[in-house]
Amino acid sequence: RAELPTYTMQQVSEHDNLINGIWVSYKEGVYNITDFVRKHPGGQSKIMMAAGGSIDPFWMIFANHQTDEILVLLESMRIGNLRSEDVYKHKDEDIYDPYALEPVRNQMLHINGKKPFCAEPPPPMLVKNFITPKEVFYVRNHLPVPYIDEENYELELAAEEKTMKTFNIEDIKKYPQHTITSAIMCGGNRRSEMGAEKPLKGLSWNVGAIGNASWTGAKLSDVLRDLGVKEEDYNHIQFEGMDIDPSGVPYGASIPISKALDPRADVLLAYKMNGEDIPLDHGYPLRVIVPGVVGARNVKWVNRIILSKNESPSQFQQNDYKGFSPSINWDNVDFKTAPAIQEMPVTSAICCPQKDEKITVAKDGTIPVKGYAWSGGGKKIIRVDVTADQGETWHIAELVAQDPDAKEGRHYAWTLWSLNLPVDKMKKSVEIWVKAVDSQYNTQPESFKNIWNLRGFLCNAYHKVKVNLG
Ligand code: MTE
Ligand code: MO
């Protein structure tokens, strides 16, 4: 290899596109992989992550590349040697950081946690579209995003310990295709408001840990019927994700078997979000959608489904995502005493204006107010009430967007609402309150004080936003 020219890392980095050509370095070698990127078995986008740089750190994680065959292939593309001081030196964090290869995320998301990645959009972005674009959809990961090997992806369906069947994506796509619009909301959405009442433990979400998307996939009930699964034989159905913790335990959750088998519950094994492959952060290549149920049960990257007498043993089912009395604290909490959260209570939020915003009062004495409302279990939002005077007068918002295709009892999408809210012009500031009412006439509690719980779940008190009038 001595006859080949020597390059600097700077020169390699100039070759990160198709015009200049695509180069990478590996150990002491420099390679021109321009023609190969198209043919990369793991997909062009994956290999392009290393374009113009060193592939060493990537191969530490995707250790499946370190075979003789691949090394010979790489050597066939060698064009030079890397200047010795530029050769990649492994840092400990490369070896141990399973987050080094997370997908690129939209800059405008507000990050609540980097590793695992948790982020939400600014509230005004939420109400711009009835269907939340993927770039705007909040992300809640509990673990590193798993590495997906598309070609070898398999979903296993088991009855307790015993495998009944394995499926690849094509097998799932053979079932009748269903598309539903469903919001997914984190059990901790609006936690920051509950935390302001009294300190608690959990990510400090504002109102953005919710998104409304269309989901396409096979009905879980069709798949289970096909296998002759009977409701009497089991109590729960467990889902496992491909994201695993350092001890090898995957993310997991479960729902009652009755829900999984009910075709009207619309539980999906979804492979599309908003008509496209589900983005990596949202569960590619397959995700369970349990409409009307807390986000935590909508398991992403699902590769194992287990019919069982028991709920998922996962800590996210057993010791998290549960609600408690305001008097229960970290010294006396016994997680076994509360059921896992499933269907969510009715909630609503004001997205425009935002807290402390300065608003010009219109000639007619009103200010424009917009937000969303949603209830769990397929219950429809029937009314949204808004006040600017602590409830002396309530104004009924217009429900500007609801799912036109939703059938009775299957309203899984959110409702967007808006109104021009009359305010007292003489005041320097007003506090806007909102509450929603669902089709069972459930409504929201007025304050967080008496629904406070130590982990900050089910934060559905009136949303109150103080704004300045100008
Ligand atoms: N599935 C897996 N495999 N791993 C996870 O960390 N997080 C859950 C759920 N499904 C999670 C998961 C939680 S708590 C929520 S709120 C939603 O996914 C978030 O979905 P999103 O990131 O697509 O918005
Ligand atoms: Mo969540």
Side-chain angles (χ1 to χ4, degrees), residues 259 291-293 343-344 374-379 409-412 440:
K259 193 166 196 94
V293 162
E343 293 178 352
M344 293 291 283
W374 183 71
S375 188
K379 295 191 278 295
R410 294 154 89 183
H411 285 266
Y412 306 124
Q440 292 182 356

Side-chain angles (χ1 to χ4, degrees), residues 140 186-187 296 321:
R140 202 307 175 219
C186 182
Y321 293 99

Side-chain angles (χ1 to χ4, degrees), residues 117 119 137-143 146 184-188 205 209 211 215 240-243 251-252 273 281-283 287 294-302 316 321:
F117 189 75
F137 210 97
Y138 82 102
V139 179
R140 202 307 175 219
N141 295 338
H142 289 82
L143 293 163
I184 294 182
M185 185 171 80
C186 182
W205 294 111
W215 304 96
E240 285 180 6
M242 295 164 74
D243 44 340
Y251 181 89
M273 175 185 185
D281 259 333
H282 301 294
R287 175 180 199 165
V294 66
R297 316 296 169 224
N298 293 248
V299 176
K300 308 193 271 192
W301 313 294
V302 63
F316 303 107
Y321 293 99

